[in-house]
Amino acid sequence: MAATGTGAQELENHHSERPVQLCNPHVASLKEDVLYHFSLGTGTHDLPAMFGDVKFVCVGGSPSRMLTFIKYVATELGLGRPGDEYPNICSGTDRYAMYKVGPVLSVSHGMGIPSIAIMLHELIKLLYHARCTDVTVIRIGTSGGIGLEPGSVVITRQAVDACFKPEFEQIVLGKRVVRGTDLDEALAQELLRCAGELSEFATVVGNTMCTLDFYEGQGRLDGALCSYTEKDKQDYLRAAHAAGVRNIEMESSVFAAMCSACGLRAAVVCVTLLDRLLGDQIRSPHEVLVEYQQRPQRLVGHFIKKSLGRA
């Protein structure tokens, strides 16, 4: 596919045949690498033929949302028509769903750090085995905002933990391993410019707090357990806002850490469904929430079109 105009120049500037890297020397010694949770493998599938042209990977929580996204991108890029079917490449398993059109791969990751981490291990190995180069990975999803109108879109500058530190901690062989969670600043600014070009919804760049839990971990008062007061909650959320946090979700820290470690250009783009300073429960009508969830898709779709010279 030939890129033209300004988009072609931007694509040329960003990409210089960067291969996907692994930070694991043991993979090279495997006779066959089974990507169990994708129901794919190097011995059963021709991964370079299936995925070698992938340049953009978009990941999100639910299979239905990622199917909606691939249909939208296909239409936007002129690679499909309304009503076209897109088979789930991972139909051999019910863990994750994967869809592809042209250079775009759309993958579900479930909810929370453990689920997305498993997916990312196999996704990054898939891109490596497929000999992909110059890949951009973007998480699109939903979140709770802090001090933002519902429906605002947050492009993550840094993913921070529940103590507002830009790090992801994991226990490996009984030892504490900490990795940084910086995301690609240039990519974040490109996405912000794309939002300005669309001029359809409020978009900000800010830090995203990633938690291990939806209820107590995010300071909600409406879970089955709660050991703090409304004032405690407000003090915590306002401290988060003062630390630059603009939204809260459950996947960004390990996403940022793993993509950075493997040299992948990555971003997180999430819409806010409520302002947590004003409440804990999502009360917007279903049709409003559906439109909110489309906002990151429209922004990322515009970015992909522009990168390919099709905007």
Side-chain angles (χ1 to χ4, degrees):
M1 180 186 306
T4 60
T6 303
Q9 186 62 49
E10 291 181 357
L11 196 59
E12 182 179 346
N13 290 341
H14 297 155
H15 304 316
S16 54
E17 292 300 311
R18 298 187 307 256
V20 175
Q21 308 165 13
L22 298 183
C23 295
N24 179 2
H26 304 290
V27 172
S29 66
L30 296 176
K31 292 183 179 179
E32 177 183 359
D33 192 1
V34 177
L35 308 179
Y36 173 74
H37 300 89
F38 284 164
S39 192
L40 298 170
T42 57
T44 53
H45 297 80
D46 187 343
L47 299 181
M50 294 173 67
F51 302 103
D53 62 338
V54 168
K55 299 296 183 185
F56 304 95
V57 181
C58 296
V59 303
S62 74
S64 61
R65 190 182 304 158
M66 301 321 294
L67 177 57
T68 298
F69 176 73
I70 206 68
K71 290 179 178 179
Y72 172 74
V73 167
T75 301
E76 288 292 294
L77 296 180
L79 299 176
R81 297 171 297 178
D84 283 355
E85 296 293 325
Y86 297 91
N88 177 10
I89 299 170
C90 298
S91 59
T93 178
D94 60 0
R95 294 297 183 186
Y96 304 105
M98 179 185 295
Y99 308 96
K100 183 179 183 297
V101 64
V104 183
L105 194 64
S106 177
V107 190
S108 70
H109 59 59
M111 182 180 292
I113 285 173
S115 184
I116 192 174
I118 294 168
M119 187 281 292
L120 285 171
H121 276 284
E122 298 190 12
L123 171 66
I124 295 170
K125 290 200 298 174
L126 181 153
L127 298 172
Y128 169 80
H129 290 308
R131 299 192 286 275
C132 295
T133 59
D134 310 326
V135 177
T136 297
V137 187
I138 304 177
R139 165 167 145 69
I140 55 177
T142 59
S143 63
I146 302 181
L148 297 175
E149 286 289 325
S152 301
V153 171
V154 178
I155 301 166
T156 303
R157 174 177 287 114
Q158 285 184 318
V160 301
D161 64 14
C163 295
F164 319 143
K165 295 180 181 178
E167 60 185 37
F168 171 67
E169 176 184 338
Q170 187 170 18
I171 303 301
V172 179
L173 300 182
K175 298 179 181 179
R176 180 175 180 261
V177 175
V178 177
R179 296 185 173 103
T181 56
D182 286 344
L183 289 153
D184 192 295
E185 178 66 24
L187 177 56
Q189 292 302 318
E190 288 175 51
L191 288 162
L192 186 63
R193 285 192 292 272
C194 287
E197 291 165 4
L198 288 176
S199 191
E200 295 178 3
F201 38 78
T203 305
V204 302
V205 175
N207 292 345
T208 296
M209 183 164 68
C210 181
T211 68
L212 300 176
D213 169 54
F214 185 80
Y215 286 97
E216 284 188 300
Q218 297 187 8
R220 279 183 161 83
L221 301 172
D222 59 344
L225 303 175
C226 184
S227 58
Y228 43 85
T229 67
E230 170 70 27
K231 182 181 182 303
D232 294 335
K233 166 196 156 181
Q234 289 292 331
D235 288 346
Y236 177 70
L237 293 180
R238 293 186 187 282
H241 189 272
V245 174
R246 295 298 176 265
N247 64 332
I248 310 172
E249 46 86 91
M250 298 174 61
E251 292 87 20
S252 58
S253 62
V254 69
F255 173 84
M258 291 184 67
C259 288
S260 176
C262 293
L264 287 165
R265 191 169 182 247
V268 177
V269 181
C270 289
V271 69
T272 61
L273 301 183
L274 76 169
D275 182 354
R276 287 294 317 290
L277 293 173
L278 303 179
D280 295 335
Q281 297 198 337
I282 299 169
R283 300 185 181 278
S284 297
H286 174 73
E287 61 272 16
V288 172
L289 294 176
V290 169
E291 194 280 324
Y292 284 171
Q293 292 176 29
Q294 293 170 353
R295 293 181 178 185
Q297 298 185 19
R298 296 205 298 273
L299 173 52
V300 173
H302 179 71
F303 164 76
I304 293 173
K305 286 176 63 179
K306 185 177 179 182
S307 297
L308 294 174
R310 299 200 172 204

